Coordinates of all heavy atoms in Angstrom, one line a residue:
M149 N 0.8 -1.1 -0.1 CA 0.0 0.0 0.0 C 0.9 1.3 0.1 O 0.6 2.1 -0.7 CB -0.9 -0.1 1.2 CG -1.8 1.2 1.4 SD -3.1 1.1 0.3 CE -4.2 2.3 1.1
R150 N 2.0 1.2 0.8 CA 2.8 2.4 0.8 C 3.5 2.6 -0.4 O 3.7 3.8 -0.8 CB 3.9 2.3 2.0 CG 3.2 2.6 3.4 CD 4.5 2.5 4.4 NE 3.8 2.7 5.6 CZ 4.4 3.2 6.6 NH1 5.7 3.4 6.5 NH2 3.8 3.4 7.8
A151 N 4.0 1.5 -1.1 CA 4.6 1.7 -2.4 C 3.6 2.4 -3.4 O 4.0 3.1 -4.2 CB 5.0 0.3 -2.9
Q152 N 2.4 2.0 -3.5 CA 1.4 2.5 -4.4 C 1.3 4.0 -4.1 O 1.1 4.9 -5.0 CB -0.1 1.9 -4.2 CG 0.1 0.5 -4.8 CD -1.3 -0.3 -4.6 OE1 -2.1 0.1 -3.7 NE2 -1.6 -1.3 -5.5
V153 N 1.0 4.5 -2.7 CA 1.0 5.8 -2.4 C 2.2 6.5 -2.9 O 2.0 7.6 -3.5 CB 0.7 6.0 -0.9 CG1 0.8 7.4 -0.5 CG2 -0.7 5.4 -0.6
G154 N 3.3 6.1 -2.6 CA 4.6 6.7 -3.0 C 4.6 7.0 -4.6 O 5.1 8.0 -5.0
R155 N 4.3 5.9 -5.3 CA 4.3 6.0 -6.8 C 3.3 7.0 -7.1 O 3.6 7.9 -8.0 CB 3.8 4.7 -7.4 CG 5.2 3.8 -7.6 CD 4.9 2.7 -8.4 NE 4.9 1.6 -7.5 CZ 4.2 0.6 -7.5 NH1 3.2 0.4 -8.2 NH2 4.2 -0.4 -6.5
A156 N 2.1 7.2 -6.6 CA 1.2 8.1 -7.0 C 1.6 9.6 -6.7 O 1.4 10.5 -7.5 CB -0.2 7.9 -6.2
V157 N 2.3 9.8 -5.5 CA 2.8 11.1 -5.3 C 3.9 11.5 -6.2 O 4.0 12.6 -6.6 CB 3.4 11.0 -3.7 CG1 4.1 12.3 -3.4 CG2 2.1 11.0 -2.7
G158 N 4.7 10.5 -6.6 CA 5.7 10.7 -7.6 C 5.2 11.3 -8.8 O 5.7 12.1 -9.5
V159 N 4.1 10.5 -9.4 CA 3.5 10.9 -10.6 C 2.8 12.2 -10.5 O 3.0 13.0 -11.4 CB 2.4 9.8 -11.0 CG1 1.6 10.2 -12.1 CG2 3.2 8.5 -11.3
L160 N 2.3 12.5 -9.3 CA 1.5 13.9 -9.2 C 2.7 15.0 -9.2 O 2.5 16.1 -9.7 CB 0.8 13.9 -8.0 CG -0.5 13.1 -8.0 CD1 -1.2 13.1 -6.6 CD2 -1.6 13.6 -9.1
T161 N 3.8 14.7 -8.5 CA 4.8 15.7 -8.4 C 5.4 16.0 -9.8 O 5.7 17.1 -10.2 CB 6.0 15.1 -7.4 OG1 5.4 15.0 -6.1 CG2 7.1 16.2 -7.3
A162 N 5.6 14.9 -10.5 CA 6.1 15.0 -11.8 C 5.3 15.9 -12.8 O 5.6 16.8 -13.5 CB 6.5 13.8 -12.6
G163 N 3.9 15.6 -12.7 CA 3.0 16.4 -13.4 C 2.8 17.8 -13.0 O 2.8 18.7 -13.8
A164 N 3.0 18.1 -11.7 CA 3.0 19.4 -11.2 C 4.3 20.3 -11.7 O 4.1 21.4 -12.1 CB 2.9 19.5 -9.7
A165 N 5.3 19.6 -11.7 CA 6.7 20.2 -12.4 C 6.5 20.5 -13.7 O 6.9 21.5 -14.2 CB 7.8 19.2 -12.1
L166 N 5.9 19.6 -14.6 CA 5.6 19.8 -15.9 C 4.7 21.0 -16.2 O 5.2 21.9 -16.9 CB 4.9 18.5 -16.6 CG 4.6 18.7 -18.1 CD1 5.7 18.9 -18.9 CD2 3.8 17.5 -18.5
L167 N 3.6 21.1 -15.4 CA 2.7 22.3 -15.5 C 3.6 23.6 -15.1 O 3.4 24.6 -15.8 CB 1.5 22.0 -14.7 CG 0.5 21.0 -15.2 CD1 -0.6 20.8 -14.3 CD2 0.2 21.4 -16.6
A168 N 4.4 23.5 -14.0 CA 5.0 24.7 -13.6 C 6.1 25.1 -14.7 O 6.3 26.3 -14.7 CB 5.8 24.4 -12.3
L169 N 6.5 24.3 -15.4 CA 7.5 24.7 -16.5 C 6.8 25.1 -17.8 O 7.5 25.5 -18.8 CB 8.4 23.5 -16.8 CG 9.3 23.0 -15.7 CD1 10.1 21.7 -16.1 CD2 10.4 24.2 -15.4
G170 N 5.5 25.2 -17.7 CA 4.8 25.8 -18.9 C 4.2 24.7 -19.8 O 3.7 25.0 -20.8
G171 N 4.4 23.6 -19.5 CA 3.9 22.4 -20.4 C 2.5 21.9 -19.9 O 2.0 22.5 -18.9
T172 N 1.9 21.2 -20.8 CA 0.7 20.7 -20.4 C 0.6 19.2 -20.5 O 1.4 18.6 -21.2 CB -0.4 21.1 -21.4 OG1 -0.2 20.8 -22.7 CG2 -0.6 22.7 -21.3
A173 N -0.3 18.6 -19.8 CA -0.4 17.2 -19.8 C -0.5 16.5 -21.3 O -0.1 15.6 -21.6 CB -1.4 16.5 -18.8
A174 N -1.4 17.1 -22.0 CA -1.8 16.8 -23.3 C -1.8 18.0 -24.2 O -2.5 19.0 -24.0 CB -3.1 16.0 -23.4
Q175 N -0.9 18.0 -25.2 CA -0.9 19.2 -26.2 C -0.7 18.7 -27.5 O 0.3 18.0 -27.8 CB 0.3 20.1 -25.7 CG 0.3 21.4 -26.4 CD 1.5 22.3 -25.9 OE1 2.2 22.0 -25.2 NE2 1.4 23.5 -26.3
A176 N -1.5 19.3 -28.4 CA -1.4 18.7 -29.8 C -0.7 19.8 -30.7 O -0.7 21.0 -30.4 CB -2.8 18.7 -30.4
D177 N 0.2 19.4 -31.5 CA 1.0 20.2 -32.5 C 0.0 20.7 -33.6 O -0.7 19.7 -34.1 CB 2.1 19.5 -33.1 CG 3.1 19.3 -31.9 OD1 3.4 20.1 -31.0 OD2 3.8 18.3 -32.2
P178 N -0.1 21.9 -34.0 CA -0.8 22.3 -35.0 C -0.3 21.8 -36.4 O 0.8 21.5 -36.4 CB -0.8 23.9 -34.9 CG 0.5 24.1 -34.4 CD 0.7 23.0 -33.4
V179 N -1.3 21.6 -37.3 CA -0.9 21.0 -38.6 C -1.1 22.0 -39.6 O -2.2 22.6 -39.7 CB -1.8 19.8 -38.8 CG1 -1.5 19.2 -40.3 CG2 -1.6 18.7 -37.8
V180 N 0.0 22.3 -40.3 CA -0.1 23.3 -41.5 C -1.0 22.7 -42.5 O -0.6 21.5 -42.9 CB 1.2 23.7 -41.8 CG1 1.3 24.6 -43.1 CG2 2.1 24.1 -40.7
P181 N -1.9 23.4 -43.1 CA -2.7 22.9 -44.1 C -1.9 22.7 -45.4 O -1.0 23.4 -45.8 CB -3.7 23.9 -44.4 CG -3.5 25.0 -43.6 CD -2.3 24.8 -42.8
R182 N -2.1 21.4 -46.1 CA -1.5 21.1 -47.3 C -2.0 22.0 -48.4 O -3.3 22.4 -48.5 CB -1.8 19.7 -47.7 CG -1.0 18.7 -46.9 CD -1.2 17.4 -47.4 NE -1.0 17.2 -48.9 CZ -1.4 16.2 -49.6 NH1 -2.2 15.3 -49.0 NH2 -1.1 16.0 -50.9
H183 N -1.2 22.5 -49.3 CA -1.6 23.5 -50.4 C -2.5 22.6 -51.4 O -2.3 21.5 -51.7 CB -0.5 23.8 -51.2 CG 0.4 24.9 -50.6 ND1 1.6 25.4 -51.2 CD2 0.2 25.6 -49.4 CE1 1.9 26.3 -50.3 NE2 1.2 26.4 -49.1
A184 N -3.6 23.1 -51.6 CA -4.7 22.6 -52.6 C -5.4 23.8 -53.3 O -5.1 25.1 -53.1 CB -5.7 21.8 -51.7
V185 N -6.3 23.5 -54.2 CA -7.1 24.4 -54.9 C -8.6 23.9 -54.8 O -8.9 22.9 -54.7 CB -6.6 24.7 -56.4 CG1 -5.3 25.1 -56.4 CG2 -6.7 23.4 -57.1
V186 N -9.5 25.0 -55.3 CA -10.9 24.8 -55.4 C -11.0 24.1 -56.8 O -10.7 24.6 -57.7 CB -11.7 26.1 -55.4 CG1 -13.2 25.8 -55.7 CG2 -11.6 26.6 -53.9
V187 N -11.6 22.8 -56.8 CA -11.8 22.3 -58.1 C -13.1 22.3 -58.7 O -13.4 21.9 -59.8 CB -11.2 20.7 -58.0 CG1 -9.8 20.7 -57.7 CG2 -12.2 20.0 -57.0
C188 N -14.0 22.9 -57.9 CA -15.5 23.1 -58.3 C -15.5 24.5 -59.2 O -14.6 25.3 -59.0 CB -16.4 23.1 -57.2 SG -16.6 21.5 -56.4
Q189 N -16.5 24.6 -59.9 CA -16.5 26.1 -60.5 C -16.8 27.0 -59.7 O -16.1 28.2 -59.6 CB -17.8 25.9 -61.5 CG -17.7 25.4 -62.7 CD -16.6 26.1 -63.5 OE1 -15.5 25.4 -63.7 NE2 -16.8 27.4 -64.0
S190 N -17.5 26.8 -58.4 CA -17.5 27.8 -57.3 C -17.8 26.9 -56.0 O -18.5 25.8 -56.2 CB -18.6 28.9 -57.6 OG -19.8 28.3 -57.6
A191 N -17.5 27.4 -54.8 CA -17.8 26.8 -53.6 C -18.0 27.8 -52.6 O -17.3 28.7 -52.3 CB -16.6 25.8 -53.3
S192 N -19.2 27.5 -51.8 CA -19.6 28.4 -50.7 C -18.6 28.0 -49.6 O -18.2 26.9 -49.2 CB -21.0 28.0 -50.2 OG -21.9 28.3 -51.3
F193 N -18.2 29.1 -49.0 CA -17.2 29.0 -47.7 C -17.9 29.6 -46.6 O -18.3 30.8 -46.5 CB -16.0 29.9 -48.1 CG -14.9 29.8 -47.3 CD1 -14.2 28.6 -47.2 CD2 -14.3 31.0 -46.6 CE1 -12.9 28.5 -46.3 CE2 -13.2 30.8 -45.8 CZ -12.6 29.6 -45.7
Y194 N -18.0 28.7 -45.5 CA -18.7 29.1 -44.3 C -17.9 29.3 -43.2 O -16.8 28.5 -43.0 CB -19.7 28.0 -44.1 CG -20.9 28.1 -45.1 CD1 -20.8 27.2 -46.2 CD2 -22.1 28.7 -44.7 CE1 -21.9 27.3 -47.1 CE2 -23.2 28.8 -45.6 CZ -23.0 28.0 -46.8 OH -24.1 28.1 -47.6
A195 N -18.3 30.1 -42.1 CA -17.3 30.3 -41.0 C -17.3 29.2 -40.0 O -16.3 28.9 -39.4 CB -17.9 31.6 -40.2
N196 N -18.4 28.3 -39.9 CA -18.5 27.4 -39.0 C -19.4 26.1 -39.5 O -20.0 26.3 -40.5 CB -19.0 27.8 -37.6 CG -18.5 27.1 -36.4 OD1 -18.0 26.0 -36.6 ND2 -18.6 27.7 -35.3
Y197 N -19.3 25.0 -38.7 CA -20.2 23.9 -39.0 C -20.9 23.5 -37.7 O -20.1 23.3 -36.8 CB -19.4 22.7 -39.7 CG -20.3 21.6 -40.0 CD1 -21.0 21.7 -41.3 CD2 -20.6 20.5 -39.2 CE1 -21.8 20.7 -41.6 CE2 -21.4 19.5 -39.6 CZ -22.0 19.6 -40.8 OH -23.0 18.7 -41.1
D198 N -22.1 23.3 -37.9 CA -23.0 22.9 -36.7 C -23.5 21.5 -37.1 O -24.3 21.2 -38.1 CB -24.0 23.8 -36.3 CG -24.9 23.4 -35.2 OD1 -25.4 22.3 -35.2 OD2 -25.1 24.3 -34.3
S199 N -23.2 20.4 -36.2 CA -23.6 19.1 -36.6 C -25.0 19.0 -36.6 O -25.6 18.0 -37.2 CB -23.1 18.1 -35.5 OG -23.5 18.5 -34.2
A200 N -25.8 19.8 -35.9 CA -27.4 19.7 -36.0 C -28.0 20.4 -37.2 O -28.9 19.9 -37.8 CB -27.9 20.3 -34.6
S201 N -27.4 21.5 -37.6 CA -27.9 22.3 -38.7 C -27.1 22.5 -39.9 O -27.6 23.0 -40.9 CB -28.4 23.6 -38.1 OG -27.4 24.3 -37.7
G202 N -25.9 22.0 -39.8 CA -25.0 22.1 -41.1 C -24.1 23.4 -41.0 O -23.9 23.9 -39.9
P203 N -23.6 23.8 -42.2 CA -22.6 25.0 -42.3 C -23.4 26.2 -41.8 O -24.7 26.5 -42.0 CB -22.4 25.1 -43.7 CG -23.3 24.4 -44.5 CD -24.0 23.3 -43.6
R204 N -22.7 27.1 -41.2 CA -23.2 28.4 -40.6 C -22.3 29.5 -40.9 O -21.1 29.4 -41.0 CB -23.4 28.3 -39.1 CG -24.0 27.0 -38.5 CD -25.5 27.0 -38.5 NE -25.9 28.1 -37.5 CZ -27.0 28.2 -37.1 NH1 -27.9 27.6 -37.5 NH2 -27.3 29.3 -36.2
G205 N -22.9 30.7 -41.1 CA -22.2 31.9 -41.3 C -21.5 32.0 -42.6 O -20.2 32.0 -42.7
F206 N -22.2 32.1 -43.8 CA -21.7 32.2 -45.1 C -20.7 33.4 -45.0 O -21.1 34.5 -44.6 CB -22.8 32.5 -46.1 CG -22.3 32.6 -47.5 CD1 -21.9 31.6 -48.2 CD2 -22.2 34.0 -47.9 CE1 -21.4 31.8 -49.6 CE2 -21.7 34.2 -49.3 CZ -21.2 33.1 -50.1
K207 N -19.4 33.2 -45.5 CA -18.5 34.1 -45.7 C -18.4 34.7 -47.0 O -18.3 35.9 -47.3 CB -17.1 33.6 -45.3 CG -16.9 33.3 -43.8 CD -15.5 32.8 -43.6 CE -15.1 33.0 -42.1 NZ -13.6 32.8 -41.9
R208 N -18.2 33.7 -48.1 CA -18.0 34.2 -49.4 C -18.0 33.0 -50.4 O -17.9 31.8 -49.9 CB -16.6 34.9 -49.6 CG -15.4 34.1 -49.2 CD -14.1 35.0 -49.3 NE -13.1 34.3 -48.6 CZ -12.9 34.5 -47.2 NH1 -13.7 35.2 -46.6 NH2 -11.9 33.9 -46.6
T209 N -17.9 33.1 -51.8 CA -17.9 32.1 -52.6 C -16.5 32.1 -53.2 O -15.8 33.1 -53.6 CB -18.8 32.5 -53.7 OG1 -20.2 32.6 -53.3 CG2 -18.8 31.4 -54.8
L210 N -15.8 31.0 -53.0 CA -14.6 30.6 -53.7 C -14.8 30.2 -55.0 O -15.6 29.3 -55.4 CB -13.8 29.6 -52.9 CG -13.7 29.9 -51.3 CD1 -12.8 28.8 -50.7 CD2 -12.9 31.1 -51.2
E211 N -13.9 30.6 -55.9 CA -13.9 30.3 -57.3 C -12.9 29.3 -57.8 O -12.0 29.0 -57.0 CB -13.6 31.5 -58.3 CG -14.6 32.7 -57.9 CD -16.0 32.4 -58.3 OE1 -16.3 31.6 -59.2 OE2 -16.9 33.0 -57.6
H212 N -13.2 28.6 -58.9 CA -12.3 27.6 -59.4 C -10.9 28.0 -59.4 O -10.6 29.0 -59.8 CB -12.7 27.1 -60.7 CG -12.0 26.0 -61.3 ND1 -10.7 26.2 -61.9 CD2 -12.1 24.6 -61.1 CE1 -10.4 24.9 -62.5 NE2 -11.1 24.1 -61.9
G213 N -10.0 27.3 -58.8 CA -8.6 27.6 -58.8 C -8.1 28.4 -57.6 O -6.8 28.6 -57.3
N214 N -9.0 28.9 -56.8 CA -8.6 29.5 -55.6 C -7.6 28.7 -54.7 O -7.8 27.6 -54.6 CB -9.8 30.0 -54.6 CG -10.5 31.2 -55.1 OD1 -11.7 31.4 -55.1 ND2 -9.7 32.3 -55.7
K215 N -6.6 29.3 -54.2 CA -5.7 28.7 -53.4 C -6.1 28.4 -52.0 O -6.4 29.4 -51.3 CB -4.3 29.3 -53.4 CG -3.6 29.4 -54.7 CD -2.3 30.2 -54.7 CE -1.7 30.0 -56.0 NZ -0.5 30.8 -56.1
I216 N -6.3 27.1 -51.6 CA -6.9 26.8 -50.2 C -6.0 25.9 -49.6 O -4.9 25.4 -50.3 CB -8.1 26.3 -50.4 CG1 -8.3 25.1 -51.3 CG2 -9.1 27.4 -50.8 CD1 -9.7 24.4 -51.3
G217 N -6.1 25.4 -48.3 CA -5.5 24.3 -47.8 C -6.4 23.5 -46.7 O -7.3 23.8 -46.2
H218 N -6.0 22.1 -46.9 CA -6.6 21.2 -46.2 C -5.7 19.9 -46.0 O -5.0 19.6 -47.0 CB -7.9 20.7 -46.9 CG -8.6 19.6 -46.1 ND1 -9.4 19.7 -45.0 CD2 -8.6 18.3 -46.4 CE1 -10.0 18.6 -44.6 NE2 -9.4 17.6 -45.4
T219 N -5.6 19.4 -44.9 CA -4.7 18.2 -44.6 C -5.6 17.0 -44.3 O -6.1 16.9 -43.2 CB -3.7 18.4 -43.5 OG1 -3.0 19.6 -43.9 CG2 -2.8 17.2 -43.4
P220 N -5.8 16.0 -45.3 CA -6.7 14.9 -45.1 C -6.2 14.1 -43.8 O -4.9 13.9 -43.6 CB -6.6 14.1 -46.3 CG -6.2 15.1 -47.3 CD -5.3 16.2 -46.6
G221 N -7.0 13.9 -42.9 CA -6.6 13.0 -41.6 C -6.2 13.9 -40.6 O -6.3 13.4 -39.5
A222 N -6.0 15.2 -40.8 CA -5.6 16.1 -39.7 C -6.7 17.1 -39.4 O -7.0 17.4 -38.2 CB -4.2 16.7 -39.9
H223 N -7.2 17.5 -40.5 CA -8.3 18.7 -40.4 C -9.7 18.0 -40.6 O -9.9 17.2 -41.5 CB -8.1 19.8 -41.5 CG -6.8 20.4 -41.2 ND1 -6.1 20.8 -42.4 CD2 -6.1 20.9 -40.0 CE1 -4.9 21.3 -42.0 NE2 -5.0 21.4 -40.6
P224 N -10.5 18.2 -39.6 CA -11.9 17.6 -39.8 C -12.8 17.8 -40.9 O -12.7 18.9 -41.7 CB -12.7 18.2 -38.5 CG -12.0 19.6 -38.3 CD -10.5 19.4 -38.7
V225 N -13.5 16.8 -41.2 CA -14.6 16.8 -42.3 C -15.9 16.3 -41.7 O -16.0 15.2 -41.0 CB -14.2 15.9 -43.4 CG1 -15.4 15.9 -44.5 CG2 -12.9 16.3 -44.0
Y226 N -16.9 17.1 -41.6 CA -18.2 16.7 -41.0 C -19.2 16.6 -42.0 O -19.4 17.7 -42.6 CB -18.6 17.8 -39.9 CG -17.7 18.1 -38.8 CD1 -16.9 19.4 -38.8 CD2 -17.3 17.1 -37.9 CE1 -15.9 19.5 -37.8 CE2 -16.4 17.3 -36.8 CZ -15.7 18.6 -36.9 OH -14.7 18.8 -35.9
N227 N -19.8 15.5 -42.2 CA -20.8 15.2 -43.2 C -20.5 15.9 -44.6 O -21.3 16.5 -45.3 CB -22.1 15.9 -42.7 CG -22.6 15.1 -41.5 OD1 -22.6 13.8 -41.5 ND2 -23.3 15.8 -40.6
G228 N -19.2 15.7 -45.0 CA -18.8 16.3 -46.3 C -18.3 17.7 -46.3 O -18.0 18.2 -47.3
W229 N -18.3 18.4 -45.1 CA -17.9 19.7 -45.0 C -16.5 19.8 -44.4 O -16.3 19.4 -43.3 CB -18.9 20.6 -44.3 CG -20.1 20.9 -45.0 CD1 -21.3 20.2 -44.9 CD2 -20.3 21.9 -45.9 NE1 -22.1 20.6 -45.8 CE2 -21.7 21.7 -46.5 CE3 -19.5 23.0 -46.4 CZ2 -22.2 22.6 -47.4 CZ3 -20.3 23.8 -47.4 CH2 -21.5 23.6 -47.9
A230 N -15.4 20.2 -45.2 CA -14.1 20.2 -44.7 C -13.5 21.4 -44.1 O -13.9 22.6 -44.8 CB -13.1 19.7 -45.8
A231 N -12.8 21.4 -42.9 CA -12.1 22.6 -42.5 C -11.2 23.0 -43.5 O -10.3 22.0 -43.7 CB -11.6 22.2 -41.1
T232 N -11.2 24.1 -43.9 CA -10.4 24.5 -45.0 C -9.7 25.9 -44.8 O -10.4 26.7 -44.1 CB -11.0 24.6 -46.2 OG1 -11.8 23.3 -46.4 CG2 -10.1 24.9 -47.5
F233 N -8.5 26.2 -45.1 CA -7.9 27.3 -45.0 C -7.9 28.2 -46.3 O -7.4 27.6 -47.2 CB -6.4 27.3 -44.4 CG -5.8 28.6 -44.1 CD1 -6.2 29.2 -42.9 CD2 -4.9 29.2 -44.9 CE1 -5.4 30.3 -42.6 CE2 -4.3 30.5 -44.5 CZ -4.5 31.0 -43.4
D234 N -8.3 29.4 -46.4 CA -8.3 30.2 -47.5 C -7.1 31.1 -47.5 O -7.0 32.0 -46.7 CB -9.6 31.0 -47.7 CG -9.8 31.9 -48.9 OD1 -8.7 31.8 -49.7 OD2 -10.7 32.4 -49.2
F235 N -6.2 30.8 -48.4 CA -5.0 31.6 -48.5 C -5.0 33.0 -48.8 O -4.1 33.7 -48.8 CB -3.8 30.8 -49.1 CG -3.3 29.6 -48.4 CD1 -3.6 28.4 -48.7 CD2 -2.3 29.8 -47.5 CE1 -3.1 27.2 -48.0 CE2 -1.8 28.7 -46.8 CZ -2.2 27.4 -47.0
G236 N -6.1 33.3 -49.5 CA -6.3 34.6 -49.9 C -6.4 35.6 -48.8 O -5.5 36.4 -48.4
P237 N -7.5 35.6 -48.0 CA -7.6 36.5 -46.9 C -6.9 35.7 -45.5 O -7.0 36.4 -44.5 CB -9.1 36.7 -46.7 CG -9.8 35.7 -47.6 CD -8.7 35.1 -48.4
N238 N -6.5 34.7 -45.7 CA -5.8 33.9 -44.6 C -6.9 33.7 -43.4 O -6.5 34.1 -42.3 CB -4.6 34.7 -44.1 CG -3.5 34.8 -45.1 OD1 -3.3 33.8 -45.7 ND2 -2.7 35.9 -45.1
D239 N -7.9 32.9 -43.7 CA -8.9 32.5 -42.6 C -9.3 31.1 -42.9 O -9.2 30.6 -44.0 CB -10.0 33.7 -42.6 CG -10.8 33.7 -43.8 OD1 -10.5 33.2 -44.9 OD2 -11.8 34.4 -43.7
W240 N -10.0 30.7 -41.8 CA -10.4 29.3 -41.8 C -11.8 29.3 -42.1 O -12.5 30.2 -41.7 CB -10.1 28.6 -40.5 CG -8.8 28.1 -40.3 CD1 -7.8 28.8 -39.7 CD2 -8.2 26.9 -40.7 NE1 -6.6 28.1 -39.8 CE2 -6.8 26.9 -40.4 CE3 -8.7 25.7 -41.4 CZ2 -6.0 25.7 -40.6 CZ3 -8.0 24.7 -41.6 CH2 -6.5 24.7 -41.3
G241 N -12.4 28.1 -42.7 CA -13.7 28.0 -42.8 C -14.1 26.6 -43.3 O -13.2 25.7 -43.2
Y242 N -15.3 26.3 -43.8 CA -15.7 25.0 -44.2 C -16.2 25.0 -45.7 O -17.0 26.0 -46.0 CB -16.9 24.5 -43.3 CG -16.3 24.1 -42.0 CD1 -16.2 25.1 -41.0 CD2 -16.0 22.8 -41.6 CE1 -15.7 24.8 -39.7 CE2 -15.4 22.5 -40.5 CZ -15.3 23.4 -39.5 OH -14.7 22.9 -38.3
V243 N -15.8 24.1 -46.4 CA -16.2 24.1 -47.9 C -16.5 22.6 -48.1 O -16.0 21.6 -47.5 CB -15.1 24.6 -48.8 CG1 -13.9 23.8 -48.7 CG2 -15.6 24.9 -50.1
R244 N -17.2 22.3 -49.1 CA -17.5 20.8 -49.5 C -16.2 20.2 -49.8 O -15.4 20.7 -50.6 CB -18.4 20.7 -50.7 CG -19.9 21.2 -50.3 CD -20.6 20.3 -49.3 NE -20.6 18.9 -49.7 CZ -21.1 18.1 -48.9 NH1 -21.5 18.2 -47.7 NH2 -21.1 16.7 -49.4
I245 N -16.0 18.9 -49.4 CA -14.7 18.2 -49.5 C -14.5 17.9 -51.0 O -13.4 17.8 -51.4 CB -14.6 16.9 -48.6 CG1 -13.3 16.3 -48.7 CG2 -15.7 15.8 -49.0 CD1 -12.1 17.1 -48.2
E246 N -15.6 17.7 -51.7 CA -15.3 17.3 -53.2 C -14.9 18.5 -54.0 O -14.6 18.4 -55.0 CB -16.8 16.7 -53.9 CG -17.9 17.7 -53.7 CD -18.8 17.5 -52.5 OE1 -18.4 16.9 -51.5 OE2 -19.9 18.0 -52.7
C247 N -15.0 19.7 -53.4 CA -14.4 20.9 -54.0 C -12.9 21.1 -53.7 O -12.4 22.1 -54.2 CB -15.3 22.1 -53.7 SG -16.9 22.1 -54.4
V248 N -12.3 20.4 -52.9 CA -10.8 20.4 -52.4 C -10.1 19.4 -53.3 O -10.4 18.3 -53.3 CB -10.8 20.3 -50.9 CG1 -9.3 20.4 -50.6 CG2 -11.6 21.1 -50.2
G249 N -9.1 19.8 -53.9 CA -8.2 19.0 -54.7 C -7.0 19.6 -55.2 O -6.7 20.6 -54.7
G250 N -6.3 19.0 -56.2 CA -5.1 19.7 -56.5 C -4.1 19.7 -55.6 O -3.3 20.7 -55.6
Y251 N -3.9 18.9 -54.6 CA -3.0 18.9 -53.5 C -1.5 19.0 -54.0 O -1.2 18.2 -55.0 CB -3.0 17.6 -52.7 CG -4.3 17.7 -51.9 CD1 -5.5 16.8 -52.2 CD2 -4.4 18.4 -50.6 CE1 -6.6 16.9 -51.4 CE2 -5.5 18.3 -49.9 CZ -6.7 17.6 -50.3 OH -7.8 17.6 -49.5
G252 N -0.8 20.1 -53.5 CA 0.6 20.1 -54.0 C 0.8 20.8 -55.4 O 1.9 20.7 -55.8
S253 N -0.3 21.3 -55.8 CA -0.1 21.9 -57.2 C 0.5 23.2 -57.3 O 0.7 23.8 -58.3 CB -1.7 21.9 -58.0 OG -2.5 22.7 -57.2
W254 N 0.7 23.9 -56.1 CA 1.4 25.1 -56.1 C 2.3 25.3 -55.0 O 2.3 24.6 -54.1 CB 0.2 26.3 -56.1 CG -0.8 26.5 -54.9 CD1 -1.8 25.5 -54.7 CD2 -0.6 27.1 -53.8 NE1 -2.3 25.8 -53.6 CE2 -1.7 26.8 -52.9 CE3 0.4 28.1 -53.4 CZ2 -1.8 27.2 -51.7 CZ3 0.1 28.6 -52.1 CH2 -0.9 28.3 -51.3

């Protein structure tokens, strides 16, 4: 019993030291979006996605060939709506995944 308590105190002390040094117990590294382009004639770009009602907050229409970014497997896709970075104004939003393509083309 004393050995278990000693180990638990050691783990808690190590965790407190990590937090005191500015670290966190779980921290994800940001993923830079892969270069891609809009492959549809036009694509609606929304500010957010709500799982109950779909895309929210229309921002603008992206045209064919606009430079965007999305990293498959790292950036979320909800019901066909992909988290996408628009390199023009440098902001994030959601666009249909089938309109994202041409990875690495620029």
